[in-house]
Amino acid sequence: MNYALILESSRKAKAAKQLYEHFRNHYKGKFLPEQKIEGYVIRDGIPVVHSQEKNRVLNLRLHDEHLSPYLKTNMNLFHMLMLDDQIDIQAYKADNGWMFLYQGIQNLPKPFGTQGFDMR
């Protein structure tokens, strides 16, 4: 399971907070249980299921912050660029920010070209 924790000091914190609050206000189900990921306690989880909502998470453009000390993640830049609306996303509130959990990200690039690689 991959994660991205946006700390309150990040440039993306305001957008992440607004997005989480939007999900929270429109979510009718029971919150996902509290859990601990890489030492961060997260609570009040909301599954992001609709494609439009997933695109709102992707539009945060977290890959712009991949070198920021205010974004904690276990993904590299390749993983962040490969995020799309086919993966499973969950949004959580953390003690000092907001965490998005991603499931279903491919680990390696898919082969391309006629023989599985670029012939150039």
Side-chain angles (χ1 to χ4, degrees), residues 52-63:
Q52 182 181 8
E53 292 176 341
K54 288 181 181 183
N55 283 326
R56 290 183 73 171
V57 174
L58 298 175
N59 286 338
L60 285 175
R61 300 178 52 89
L62 295 179
H63 60 273

Side-chain angles (χ1 to χ4, degrees), residues 36-52:
K36 193 171 187 178
I37 304 284
E38 299 281 331
Y40 303 108
V41 178
I42 54 176
R43 62 188 180 286
D44 298 337
I46 301 168
V48 181
V49 292
H50 300 324
S51 182
Q52 182 181 8

Side-chain angles (χ1 to χ4, degrees), residues 12-120:
K12 306 283 183 173
K14 183 177 178 183
K17 178 182 179 183
Q18 289 175 345
L19 186 58
Y20 178 80
E21 292 300 324
H22 170 78
F23 292 155
R24 187 178 180 142
N25 292 335
H26 290 88
Y27 184 60
K28 305 290 188 227
K30 188 176 177 184
F31 290 118
L32 298 172
E34 180 177 300
Q35 51 183 310
K36 193 171 187 178
I37 304 284
E38 299 281 331
Y40 303 108
V41 178
I42 54 176
R43 62 188 180 286
D44 298 337
I46 301 168
V48 181
V49 292
H50 300 324
S51 182
Q52 182 181 8
E53 292 176 341
K54 288 181 181 183
N55 283 326
R56 290 183 73 171
V57 174
L58 298 175
N59 286 338
L60 285 175
R61 300 178 52 89
L62 295 179
H63 60 273
D64 292 344
E65 295 282 305
H66 79 281
L67 292 176
S68 171
Y70 305 114
L71 175 72
K72 306 296 183 191
T73 184
N74 63 350
M75 298 183 286
N76 60 30
L77 182 58
F78 170 76
H79 293 129
M80 291 179 159
L81 291 172
M82 296 309 294
L83 296 175
D84 61 6
D85 62 350
Q86 302 300 315
I87 60 174
D88 295 328
I89 303 174
Q90 298 171 350
Y92 285 87
K93 172 71 177 121
D95 291 335
N96 53 353
W98 299 268
M99 183 177 283
F100 295 96
L101 297 180
Y102 304 99
Q103 212 168 19
I105 299 174
Q106 65 186 45
N107 289 330
L108 298 171
K110 292 181 181 175
F112 60 95
T114 57
Q115 297 177 345
F117 55 90
D118 192 2
M119 295 297 292
R120 289 183 273 173

